[in-house]
């Protein structure tokens, strides 16, 4: 407690029981016990924390709601202080004229989306944790979600960020307009940086009018490989789904056998959920065009007839990660990406590698949650080889080892080994320039 005694405007936790939960997020990795957890309530606390971290040689580890999937908010080493932004002040403010919204890092994404929707606007990022995650975490990790298929990632919806830098001050990068071109976009460097260059405390987000119509489709298939060329075929023909999700046969069978009521009714041996949200997507010509394009694979297509059914379908998709985790508590869930044009090659390669896994996720943008359900019972060296093989396969097809969860602690080693050395060199040079004392989230990403 001693160095924190005079910290202004903050709550400080040092009790072991209070610190223990901060060793966890929603990934499979475990952090060390922090020295303390600080919940700042204003800039003075952050300024003093930065000064203390430099003077006393401890690390600062940012945390939002702790829903991350890569261990990015977990302390490492013996001397880390978690900076928990849950008490960071600020209101959510919508500016309809600017098509923008300002919010503090502590705002829940659910509340950000609801504030936009209340005025007829849409903030698309929708990671699976959208009801419980904090905006700050989504910015630090550049969160994705099903809607990324059409709308892109968090970074595509950020106009400006307010960030704590190593001088202890909060700086604003960007303005409340999509047009801002005075030099390189430094704010974009902070988004997805997982706090290694500084901590984002608030942001101005871009909004778009709320979609007025949805068509939600269940597409069951007998041979799940029949799904794999559909994302590319749809996009190539000018149909851009706002979401295109899938369950492979193993995930679907497990959901149907042990999942909630809605899951027990899901059809097919494998299943895709497609959603469209553009104007006219509920019209007959739209559906007929789509059916023509899908051809014989559309045989069992079901259209959600009302909002209740639509919500039921999404509820099953949204609970899949937690459902599998409950049944396989030591599973490892990856989030590799391959270009949608190479999905078939990916799954052929995965089978050839013989990695025991099941898959579901965001087929429409090639972001696949390959789950190693038996990871807990697999010898660690073998598990590591399997994961490296999986990452190498994705990269050999022009993909990457993380589409939305980030690198954090969980994938750091693999990221360092598999990345272009020039990229690591550039990232380290940036880290040295922006954080010369190494206080911001060390041991993550690079
Ligand atoms: C999801 O889309 O369900 C999550 O990102 C997946 C996960 O928990 O691995
Ligand atoms: Zn996901």
């Amino acid at each position: 407690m001693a160095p924190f005694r005079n910290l202004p405007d903050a709550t400080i936790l040092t009790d072991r029981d209070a610190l223990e939960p901060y060793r966890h997020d929603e990934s499979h990795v475990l952090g060390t016990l922090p020295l303390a957890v600080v919940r700042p309530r204003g800039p003075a606390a952050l300024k003093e924390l930065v000064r203390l971290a430099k003077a006393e040689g401890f690390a600062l580890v940012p945390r939002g709601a702790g829903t991350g999937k890569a261990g990015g908010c977990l302390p490492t080493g013996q001397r880390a202080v978690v900076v928990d932004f849950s008490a960071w002040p600020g209101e959510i403010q919508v500016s309809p004229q600017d098509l923008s919204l300002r919010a503090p890092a502590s705002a829940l994404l659910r509340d950000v989306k609801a504030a936009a929707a209340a005025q007829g606007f849409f903030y698309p990022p929708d990671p699976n944790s959208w009801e419980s995650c904090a905006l700050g975490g989504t910015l630090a990790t550049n969160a994705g979600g099903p809607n990324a298929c059409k709308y892109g990632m968090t970074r595509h919806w950020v106009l400006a960020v307010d960030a704590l830098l190593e001088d202890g001050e909060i700086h604003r990068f960007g303005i409340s307009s999509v047009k801002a071109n005075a030099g390189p976009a430094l704010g974009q460097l902070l988004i997805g940086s997982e706090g290694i260059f500084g901590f984002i405390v608030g942001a101005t987000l871009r909004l778009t009018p709320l979609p007025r119509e949805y068509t939600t489709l269940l597409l069951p298939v007998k041979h799940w490989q029949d799904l794999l060329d559909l994302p590319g075929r749809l996009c190539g023909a000018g149909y851009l789904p706002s979401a295109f999700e899938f369950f492979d046969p193993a995930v679907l069978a497990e959901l149907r056998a042990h999942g909630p009521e809605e899951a027990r009714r899901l059809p097919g041996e494998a299943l895709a959920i497609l959603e469209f949200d553009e104007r006219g997507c509920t019209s007959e010509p739209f559906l007929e065009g789509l059916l023509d394009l899908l051809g014989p694979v559309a045989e069992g297509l079901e259209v959600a007839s009302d909002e209740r059914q639509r919500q039921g379908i999404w509820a099953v998709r949204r609970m899949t990660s937690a459902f599998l985790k409950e049944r396989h508590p030591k599973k490892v869930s990856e989030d590799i990406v391959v270009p949608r044009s190479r999905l078939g090659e990916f799954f052929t390669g995965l089978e050839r590698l013989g990695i025991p896994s099941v898959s579901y996720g965001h087929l429409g943008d090639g972001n696949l949650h390959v789950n190693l359900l038996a990871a807990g019972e697999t010898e660690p060296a073998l598990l590591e080889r399997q994961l490296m093989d999986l990452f190498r396969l994705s990269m050999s097809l022009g993909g990457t080892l993380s589409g939305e969860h980030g690198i954090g602690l969980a994938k750091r080693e693999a990221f360092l080994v598999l990345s272009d050395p020039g990229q690591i060199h550039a990232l380290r040079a940036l880290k040295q320039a922006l954080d010369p004392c190494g206080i911001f989230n060390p041991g993550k990403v690079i």
Side-chain angles (χ1 to χ4, degrees), residues 396-419:
S396 73
L397 295 171
T400 181
L401 69 168
S402 175
E404 55 179 9
H405 296 166
I407 299 300
L409 204 52
K411 283 192 275 275
R412 178 171 179 257
E413 293 302 321
F415 181 65
L416 291 175
V417 171
L418 299 175
S419 299

Side-chain angles (χ1 to χ4, degrees), residues 26 69 126-129 144-146 245 317-322 325 331-335 360-362 367 369-371 404-405:
E26 287 183 12
K69 302 264 184 190
D126 62 341
N128 203 44
S129 54
E245 303 287 303
R317 169 59 188 91
R318 290 289 183 184
M319 53 76 72
T320 304
S321 171
K325 180 126 185 135
K331 79 179 174 99
V332 169
S333 174
E334 291 302 341
D335 69 314
Y360 69 97
H362 318 290
N367 179 203
H369 295 308
V370 178
N371 276 239
E404 55 179 9
H405 296 166

Side-chain angles (χ1 to χ4, degrees), residues 209-227:
L210 200 61
R212 289 173 202 279
E213 302 174 51
Y214 297 96
T215 288
T216 307
L217 306 165
L218 280 183
L219 180 58
V221 287
K222 284 210 179 68
H223 307 290
W224 83 275
Q225 286 86 348
D226 288 349
L227 292 176

